[in-house]
Amino acid sequence: MWLSLALALALVGAVYWVVRKKQLDRRAGEGPCAPLEYRTPLAFDQCLDRLRSPGPEDEFIYTCTRERDGSFTLHLTAHQPTSQPLDTLYSLRLDPGKETLVTLIFIREAFGYGQPVFPREMMDAFLAQKLEARPWGREK
């Protein structure tokens, strides 16, 4: 009996490890879950000020909150007239410098989708409008 329990626990642990590794690899590699990086001429504080003040011209309804560890979470929602709202959560990192580097790391999509439903072009347009940011490190 103890041997069966130990084997079952080992199997559950192995499955968990494989699934977690695949998720981390998916987020680190190319594709829809890869981190999105942008450059903006705005200073760090200006980026925060603009992200804290949603406007009627914004493509998304969003919130940008600071977490306990000092990171930021960007929660984007777009209401579709004929379907349920689309909802995406990103980790947001702002690295100050001559130009501020804005990095979005996909966390989750509503309803358990494994990749963001908003196309990269929508995120590019949103950050260009909101932060005067341009894609960095990839072809546009």
mmCIF file with all atom_site columns, all heavy atoms in Angstrom, residues 95-114:
data_model
loop_
_atom_site.group_PDB
_atom_site.id
_atom_site.type_symbol
_atom_site.label_atom_id
_atom_site.label_alt_id
_atom_site.label_comp_id
_atom_site.label_asym_id
_atom_site.label_entity_id
_atom_site.label_seq_id
_atom_site.pdbx_PDB_ins_code
_atom_site.Cartn_x
_atom_site.Cartn_y
_atom_site.Cartn_z
_atom_site.occupancy
_atom_site.B_iso_or_equiv
_atom_site.pdbx_formal_charge
_atom_site.auth_seq_id
_atom_site.auth_comp_id
_atom_site.auth_asym_id
_atom_site.auth_atom_id
_atom_site.pdbx_PDB_model_num
ATOM 1   N N   . ASP A 1 95  ? 11.773  49.715 -17.120 1.00 0.00 ? 95  ASP A N   1
ATOM 2   C CA  . ASP A 1 95  ? 13.186  49.888 -16.803 1.00 0.00 ? 95  ASP A CA  1
ATOM 3   C C   . ASP A 1 95  ? 13.626  51.255 -17.295 1.00 0.00 ? 95  ASP A C   1
ATOM 4   O O   . ASP A 1 95  ? 13.694  51.500 -18.505 1.00 0.00 ? 95  ASP A O   1
ATOM 5   C CB  . ASP A 1 95  ? 14.032  48.796 -17.472 1.00 0.00 ? 95  ASP A CB  1
ATOM 6   C CG  . ASP A 1 95  ? 13.705  47.417 -16.941 1.00 0.00 ? 95  ASP A CG  1
ATOM 7   O OD1 . ASP A 1 95  ? 13.606  47.275 -15.711 1.00 0.00 ? 95  ASP A OD1 1
ATOM 8   O OD2 . ASP A 1 95  ? 13.541  46.486 -17.744 1.00 0.00 ? 95  ASP A OD2 1
ATOM 9   N N   . PRO A 1 96  ? 13.926  52.180 -16.351 1.00 0.00 ? 96  PRO A N   1
ATOM 10  C CA  . PRO A 1 96  ? 14.317  53.531 -16.764 1.00 0.00 ? 96  PRO A CA  1
ATOM 11  C C   . PRO A 1 96  ? 15.707  53.550 -17.378 1.00 0.00 ? 96  PRO A C   1
ATOM 12  O O   . PRO A 1 96  ? 16.521  52.660 -17.152 1.00 0.00 ? 96  PRO A O   1
ATOM 13  C CB  . PRO A 1 96  ? 14.283  54.321 -15.450 1.00 0.00 ? 96  PRO A CB  1
ATOM 14  C CG  . PRO A 1 96  ? 14.422  53.316 -14.374 1.00 0.00 ? 96  PRO A CG  1
ATOM 15  C CD  . PRO A 1 96  ? 13.895  52.019 -14.909 1.00 0.00 ? 96  PRO A CD  1
ATOM 16  N N   . GLY A 1 97  ? 15.941  54.555 -18.153 1.00 0.00 ? 97  GLY A N   1
ATOM 17  C CA  . GLY A 1 97  ? 17.234  54.753 -18.812 1.00 0.00 ? 97  GLY A CA  1
ATOM 18  C C   . GLY A 1 97  ? 17.107  55.928 -19.759 1.00 0.00 ? 97  GLY A C   1
ATOM 19  O O   . GLY A 1 97  ? 16.221  56.766 -19.607 1.00 0.00 ? 97  GLY A O   1
ATOM 20  N N   . LYS A 1 98  ? 17.984  55.983 -20.751 1.00 0.00 ? 98  LYS A N   1
ATOM 21  C CA  . LYS A 1 98  ? 17.881  57.040 -21.761 1.00 0.00 ? 98  LYS A CA  1
ATOM 22  C C   . LYS A 1 98  ? 16.491  56.984 -22.399 1.00 0.00 ? 98  LYS A C   1
ATOM 23  O O   . LYS A 1 98  ? 15.871  58.007 -22.639 1.00 0.00 ? 98  LYS A O   1
ATOM 24  C CB  . LYS A 1 98  ? 18.977  56.856 -22.815 1.00 0.00 ? 98  LYS A CB  1
ATOM 25  C CG  . LYS A 1 98  ? 19.065  57.969 -23.803 1.00 0.00 ? 98  LYS A CG  1
ATOM 26  C CD  . LYS A 1 98  ? 20.238  57.788 -24.736 1.00 0.00 ? 98  LYS A CD  1
ATOM 27  C CE  . LYS A 1 98  ? 20.313  58.933 -25.724 1.00 0.00 ? 98  LYS A CE  1
ATOM 28  N NZ  . LYS A 1 98  ? 21.417  58.761 -26.658 1.00 0.00 ? 98  LYS A NZ  1
ATOM 29  N N   . GLU A 1 99  ? 16.041  55.789 -22.694 1.00 0.00 ? 99  GLU A N   1
ATOM 30  C CA  . GLU A 1 99  ? 14.665  55.519 -23.086 1.00 0.00 ? 99  GLU A CA  1
ATOM 31  C C   . GLU A 1 99  ? 14.135  54.471 -22.107 1.00 0.00 ? 99  GLU A C   1
ATOM 32  O O   . GLU A 1 99  ? 14.868  53.584 -21.693 1.00 0.00 ? 99  GLU A O   1
ATOM 33  C CB  . GLU A 1 99  ? 14.569  54.965 -24.498 1.00 0.00 ? 99  GLU A CB  1
ATOM 34  C CG  . GLU A 1 99  ? 14.901  55.943 -25.586 1.00 0.00 ? 99  GLU A CG  1
ATOM 35  C CD  . GLU A 1 99  ? 14.650  55.355 -26.952 1.00 0.00 ? 99  GLU A CD  1
ATOM 36  O OE1 . GLU A 1 99  ? 15.123  54.233 -27.217 1.00 0.00 ? 99  GLU A OE1 1
ATOM 37  O OE2 . GLU A 1 99  ? 13.973  56.021 -27.750 1.00 0.00 ? 99  GLU A OE2 1
ATOM 38  N N   . THR A 1 100 ? 12.881  54.580 -21.735 1.00 0.00 ? 100 THR A N   1
ATOM 39  C CA  . THR A 1 100 ? 12.301  53.608 -20.816 1.00 0.00 ? 100 THR A CA  1
ATOM 40  C C   . THR A 1 100 ? 11.952  52.342 -21.587 1.00 0.00 ? 100 THR A C   1
ATOM 41  O O   . THR A 1 100 ? 11.313  52.404 -22.639 1.00 0.00 ? 100 THR A O   1
ATOM 42  C CB  . THR A 1 100 ? 11.051  54.184 -20.128 1.00 0.00 ? 100 THR A CB  1
ATOM 43  O OG1 . THR A 1 100 ? 11.423  55.379 -19.444 1.00 0.00 ? 100 THR A OG1 1
ATOM 44  C CG2 . THR A 1 100 ? 10.453  53.205 -19.146 1.00 0.00 ? 100 THR A CG2 1
ATOM 45  N N   . LEU A 1 101 ? 12.381  51.202 -21.062 1.00 0.00 ? 101 LEU A N   1
ATOM 46  C CA  . LEU A 1 101 ? 12.067  49.908 -21.652 1.00 0.00 ? 101 LEU A CA  1
ATOM 47  C C   . LEU A 1 101 ? 10.819  49.382 -20.955 1.00 0.00 ? 101 LEU A C   1
ATOM 48  O O   . LEU A 1 101 ? 10.779  49.254 -19.740 1.00 0.00 ? 101 LEU A O   1
ATOM 49  C CB  . LEU A 1 101 ? 13.226  48.936 -21.478 1.00 0.00 ? 101 LEU A CB  1
ATOM 50  C CG  . LEU A 1 101 ? 13.013  47.518 -21.993 1.00 0.00 ? 101 LEU A CG  1
ATOM 51  C CD1 . LEU A 1 101 ? 12.793  47.513 -23.499 1.00 0.00 ? 101 LEU A CD1 1
ATOM 52  C CD2 . LEU A 1 101 ? 14.195  46.641 -21.628 1.00 0.00 ? 101 LEU A CD2 1
ATOM 53  N N   . VAL A 1 102 ? 9.781   49.111 -21.743 1.00 0.00 ? 102 VAL A N   1
ATOM 54  C CA  . VAL A 1 102 ? 8.509   48.588 -21.235 1.00 0.00 ? 102 VAL A CA  1
ATOM 55  C C   . VAL A 1 102 ? 8.426   47.122 -21.642 1.00 0.00 ? 102 VAL A C   1
ATOM 56  O O   . VAL A 1 102 ? 8.520   46.796 -22.818 1.00 0.00 ? 102 VAL A O   1
ATOM 57  C CB  . VAL A 1 102 ? 7.313   49.368 -21.841 1.00 0.00 ? 102 VAL A CB  1
ATOM 58  C CG1 . VAL A 1 102 ? 5.997   48.835 -21.311 1.00 0.00 ? 102 VAL A CG1 1
ATOM 59  C CG2 . VAL A 1 102 ? 7.451   50.860 -21.568 1.00 0.00 ? 102 VAL A CG2 1
ATOM 60  N N   . THR A 1 103 ? 8.260   46.238 -20.654 1.00 0.00 ? 103 THR A N   1
ATOM 61  C CA  . THR A 1 103 ? 8.167   44.805 -20.928 1.00 0.00 ? 103 THR A CA  1
ATOM 62  C C   . THR A 1 103 ? 6.850   44.275 -20.400 1.00 0.00 ? 103 THR A C   1
ATOM 63  O O   . THR A 1 103 ? 6.499   44.515 -19.243 1.00 0.00 ? 103 THR A O   1
ATOM 64  C CB  . THR A 1 103 ? 9.330   44.036 -20.255 1.00 0.00 ? 103 THR A CB  1
ATOM 65  O OG1 . THR A 1 103 ? 10.562  44.620 -20.654 1.00 0.00 ? 103 THR A OG1 1
ATOM 66  C CG2 . THR A 1 103 ? 9.299   42.569 -20.639 1.00 0.00 ? 103 THR A CG2 1
ATOM 67  N N   . LEU A 1 104 ? 6.106   43.585 -21.257 1.00 0.00 ? 104 LEU A N   1
ATOM 68  C CA  . LEU A 1 104 ? 4.857   42.929 -20.864 1.00 0.00 ? 104 LEU A CA  1
ATOM 69  C C   . LEU A 1 104 ? 5.076   41.425 -20.911 1.00 0.00 ? 104 LEU A C   1
ATOM 70  O O   . LEU A 1 104 ? 5.515   40.891 -21.926 1.00 0.00 ? 104 LEU A O   1
ATOM 71  C CB  . LEU A 1 104 ? 3.726   43.293 -21.823 1.00 0.00 ? 104 LEU A CB  1
ATOM 72  C CG  . LEU A 1 104 ? 3.239   44.731 -21.799 1.00 0.00 ? 104 LEU A CG  1
ATOM 73  C CD1 . LEU A 1 104 ? 2.186   44.937 -22.880 1.00 0.00 ? 104 LEU A CD1 1
ATOM 74  C CD2 . LEU A 1 104 ? 2.677   45.090 -20.449 1.00 0.00 ? 104 LEU A CD2 1
ATOM 75  N N   . ILE A 1 105 ? 4.768   40.762 -19.811 1.00 0.00 ? 105 ILE A N   1
ATOM 76  C CA  . ILE A 1 105 ? 4.893   39.307 -19.733 1.00 0.00 ? 105 ILE A CA  1
ATOM 77  C C   . ILE A 1 105 ? 3.509   38.739 -19.484 1.00 0.00 ? 105 ILE A C   1
ATOM 78  O O   . ILE A 1 105 ? 2.865   39.057 -18.481 1.00 0.00 ? 105 ILE A O   1
ATOM 79  C CB  . ILE A 1 105 ? 5.870   38.895 -18.615 1.00 0.00 ? 105 ILE A CB  1
ATOM 80  C CG1 . ILE A 1 105 ? 7.244   39.508 -18.878 1.00 0.00 ? 105 ILE A CG1 1
ATOM 81  C CG2 . ILE A 1 105 ? 5.949   37.374 -18.508 1.00 0.00 ? 105 ILE A CG2 1
ATOM 82  C CD1 . ILE A 1 105 ? 8.211   39.383 -17.729 1.00 0.00 ? 105 ILE A CD1 1
ATOM 83  N N   . PHE A 1 106 ? 3.045   37.930 -20.412 1.00 0.00 ? 106 PHE A N   1
ATOM 84  C CA  . PHE A 1 106 ? 1.710   37.340 -20.332 1.00 0.00 ? 106 PHE A CA  1
ATOM 85  C C   . PHE A 1 106 ? 1.600   36.449 -19.093 1.00 0.00 ? 106 PHE A C   1
ATOM 86  O O   . PHE A 1 106 ? 2.445   35.608 -18.840 1.00 0.00 ? 106 PHE A O   1
ATOM 87  C CB  . PHE A 1 106 ? 1.435   36.524 -21.597 1.00 0.00 ? 106 PHE A CB  1
ATOM 88  C CG  . PHE A 1 106 ? 0.132   35.790 -21.573 1.00 0.00 ? 106 PHE A CG  1
ATOM 89  C CD1 . PHE A 1 106 ? -1.061  36.465 -21.709 1.00 0.00 ? 106 PHE A CD1 1
ATOM 90  C CD2 . PHE A 1 106 ? 0.103   34.419 -21.421 1.00 0.00 ? 106 PHE A CD2 1
ATOM 91  C CE1 . PHE A 1 106 ? -2.264  35.785 -21.696 1.00 0.00 ? 106 PHE A CE1 1
ATOM 92  C CE2 . PHE A 1 106 ? -1.086  33.722 -21.405 1.00 0.00 ? 106 PHE A CE2 1
ATOM 93  C CZ  . PHE A 1 106 ? -2.284  34.410 -21.541 1.00 0.00 ? 106 PHE A CZ  1
ATOM 94  N N   . ILE A 1 107 ? 0.518   36.654 -18.322 1.00 0.00 ? 107 ILE A N   1
ATOM 95  C CA  . ILE A 1 107 ? 0.265   35.826 -17.142 1.00 0.00 ? 107 ILE A CA  1
ATOM 96  C C   . ILE A 1 107 ? -0.867  34.843 -17.418 1.00 0.00 ? 107 ILE A C   1
ATOM 97  O O   . ILE A 1 107 ? -0.697  33.640 -17.311 1.00 0.00 ? 107 ILE A O   1
ATOM 98  C CB  . ILE A 1 107 ? -0.078  36.686 -15.909 1.00 0.00 ? 107 ILE A CB  1
ATOM 99  C CG1 . ILE A 1 107 ? 1.106   37.562 -15.543 1.00 0.00 ? 107 ILE A CG1 1
ATOM 100 C CG2 . ILE A 1 107 ? -0.487  35.798 -14.741 1.00 0.00 ? 107 ILE A CG2 1
ATOM 101 C CD1 . ILE A 1 107 ? 0.838   38.526 -14.417 1.00 0.00 ? 107 ILE A CD1 1
ATOM 102 N N   . ARG A 1 108 ? -2.036  35.403 -17.764 1.00 0.00 ? 108 ARG A N   1
ATOM 103 C CA  . ARG A 1 108 ? -3.174  34.517 -18.006 1.00 0.00 ? 108 ARG A CA  1
ATOM 104 C C   . ARG A 1 108 ? -4.239  35.240 -18.808 1.00 0.00 ? 108 ARG A C   1
ATOM 105 O O   . ARG A 1 108 ? -4.264  36.452 -18.887 1.00 0.00 ? 108 ARG A O   1
ATOM 106 C CB  . ARG A 1 108 ? -3.776  34.009 -16.711 1.00 0.00 ? 108 ARG A CB  1
ATOM 107 C CG  . ARG A 1 108 ? -4.489  35.089 -15.929 1.00 0.00 ? 108 ARG A CG  1
ATOM 108 C CD  . ARG A 1 108 ? -5.416  34.548 -14.866 1.00 0.00 ? 108 ARG A CD  1
ATOM 109 N NE  . ARG A 1 108 ? -5.932  35.628 -14.051 1.00 0.00 ? 108 ARG A NE  1
ATOM 110 C CZ  . ARG A 1 108 ? -6.912  36.449 -14.414 1.00 0.00 ? 108 ARG A CZ  1
ATOM 111 N NH1 . ARG A 1 108 ? -7.491  36.315 -15.574 1.00 0.00 ? 108 ARG A NH1 1
ATOM 112 N NH2 . ARG A 1 108 ? -7.319  37.421 -13.627 1.00 0.00 ? 108 ARG A NH2 1
ATOM 113 N N   . GLU A 1 109 ? -5.103  34.450 -19.366 1.00 0.00 ? 109 GLU A N   1
ATOM 114 C CA  . GLU A 1 109 ? -6.260  34.921 -20.104 1.00 0.00 ? 109 GLU A CA  1
ATOM 115 C C   . GLU A 1 109 ? -7.499  34.420 -19.369 1.00 0.00 ? 109 GLU A C   1
ATOM 116 O O   . GLU A 1 109 ? -7.455  33.369 -18.742 1.00 0.00 ? 109 GLU A O   1
ATOM 117 C CB  . GLU A 1 109 ? -6.216  34.352 -21.529 1.00 0.00 ? 109 GLU A CB  1
ATOM 118 C CG  . GLU A 1 109 ? -7.268  34.884 -22.451 1.00 0.00 ? 109 GLU A CG  1
ATOM 119 C CD  . GLU A 1 109 ? -7.104  36.366 -22.707 1.00 0.00 ? 109 GLU A CD  1
ATOM 120 O OE1 . GLU A 1 109 ? -6.018  36.798 -23.067 1.00 0.00 ? 109 GLU A OE1 1
ATOM 121 O OE2 . GLU A 1 109 ? -8.088  37.085 -22.527 1.00 0.00 ? 109 GLU A OE2 1
ATOM 122 N N   . ALA A 1 110 ? -8.566  35.177 -19.421 1.00 0.00 ? 110 ALA A N   1
ATOM 123 C CA  . ALA A 1 110 ? -9.807  34.733 -18.797 1.00 0.00 ? 110 ALA A CA  1
ATOM 124 C C   . ALA A 1 110 ? -10.241 33.407 -19.407 1.00 0.00 ? 110 ALA A C   1
ATOM 125 O O   . ALA A 1 110 ? -9.880  33.071 -20.537 1.00 0.00 ? 110 ALA A O   1
ATOM 126 C CB  . ALA A 1 110 ? -10.900 35.776 -19.000 1.00 0.00 ? 110 ALA A CB  1
ATOM 127 N N   . PHE A 1 111 ? -10.977 32.660 -18.681 1.00 0.00 ? 111 PHE A N   1
ATOM 128 C CA  . PHE A 1 111 ? -11.512 31.374 -19.131 1.00 0.00 ? 111 PHE A CA  1
ATOM 129 C C   . PHE A 1 111 ? -10.413 30.342 -19.378 1.00 0.00 ? 111 PHE A C   1
ATOM 130 O O   . PHE A 1 111 ? -10.614 29.380 -20.096 1.00 0.00 ? 111 PHE A O   1
ATOM 131 C CB  . PHE A 1 111 ? -12.392 31.529 -20.378 1.00 0.00 ? 111 PHE A CB  1
ATOM 132 C CG  . PHE A 1 111 ? -13.391 32.635 -20.250 1.00 0.00 ? 111 PHE A CG  1
ATOM 133 C CD1 . PHE A 1 111 ? -13.299 33.760 -21.032 1.00 0.00 ? 111 PHE A CD1 1
ATOM 134 C CD2 . PHE A 1 111 ? -14.410 32.559 -19.320 1.00 0.00 ? 111 PHE A CD2 1
ATOM 135 C CE1 . PHE A 1 111 ? -14.202 34.795 -20.917 1.00 0.00 ? 111 PHE A CE1 1
ATOM 136 C CE2 . PHE A 1 111 ? -15.319 33.593 -19.186 1.00 0.00 ? 111 PHE A CE2 1
ATOM 137 C CZ  . PHE A 1 111 ? -15.226 34.710 -19.977 1.00 0.00 ? 111 PHE A CZ  1
ATOM 138 N N   . GLY A 1 112 ? -9.209  30.562 -18.829 1.00 0.00 ? 112 GLY A N   1
ATOM 139 C CA  . GLY A 1 112 ? -8.161  29.562 -18.876 1.00 0.00 ? 112 GLY A CA  1
ATOM 140 C C   . GLY A 1 112 ? -7.425  29.413 -20.189 1.00 0.00 ? 112 GLY A C   1
ATOM 141 O O   . GLY A 1 112 ? -6.728  28.425 -20.389 1.00 0.00 ? 112 GLY A O   1
ATOM 142 N N   . TYR A 1 113 ? -7.554  30.370 -21.105 1.00 0.00 ? 113 TYR A N   1
ATOM 143 C CA  . TYR A 1 113 ? -6.804  30.269 -22.359 1.00 0.00 ? 113 TYR A CA  1
ATOM 144 C C   . TYR A 1 113 ? -5.312  30.326 -22.068 1.00 0.00 ? 113 TYR A C   1
ATOM 145 O O   . TYR A 1 113 ? -4.863  31.093 -21.237 1.00 0.00 ? 113 TYR A O   1
ATOM 146 C CB  . TYR A 1 113 ? -7.174  31.388 -23.333 1.00 0.00 ? 113 TYR A CB  1
ATOM 147 C CG  . TYR A 1 113 ? -8.604  31.347 -23.812 1.00 0.00 ? 113 TYR A CG  1
ATOM 148 C CD1 . TYR A 1 113 ? -9.337  32.508 -23.929 1.00 0.00 ? 113 TYR A CD1 1
ATOM 149 C CD2 . TYR A 1 113 ? -9.214  30.152 -24.143 1.00 0.00 ? 113 TYR A CD2 1
ATOM 150 C CE1 . TYR A 1 113 ? -10.650 32.479 -24.366 1.00 0.00 ? 113 TYR A CE1 1
ATOM 151 C CE2 . TYR A 1 113 ? -10.524 30.115 -24.574 1.00 0.00 ? 113 TYR A CE2 1
ATOM 152 C CZ  . TYR A 1 113 ? -11.241 31.282 -24.683 1.00 0.00 ? 113 TYR A CZ  1
ATOM 153 O OH  . TYR A 1 113 ? -12.522 31.245 -25.111 1.00 0.00 ? 113 TYR A OH  1
ATOM 154 N N   . GLY A 1 114 ? -4.539  29.560 -22.790 1.00 0.00 ? 114 GLY A N   1
ATOM 155 C CA  . GLY A 1 114 ? -3.102  29.489 -22.568 1.00 0.00 ? 114 GLY A CA  1
ATOM 156 C C   . GLY A 1 114 ? -2.298  30.541 -23.300 1.00 0.00 ? 114 GLY A C   1
ATOM 157 O O   . GLY A 1 114 ? -1.086  30.575 -23.181 1.00 0.00 ? 114 GLY A O   1
#
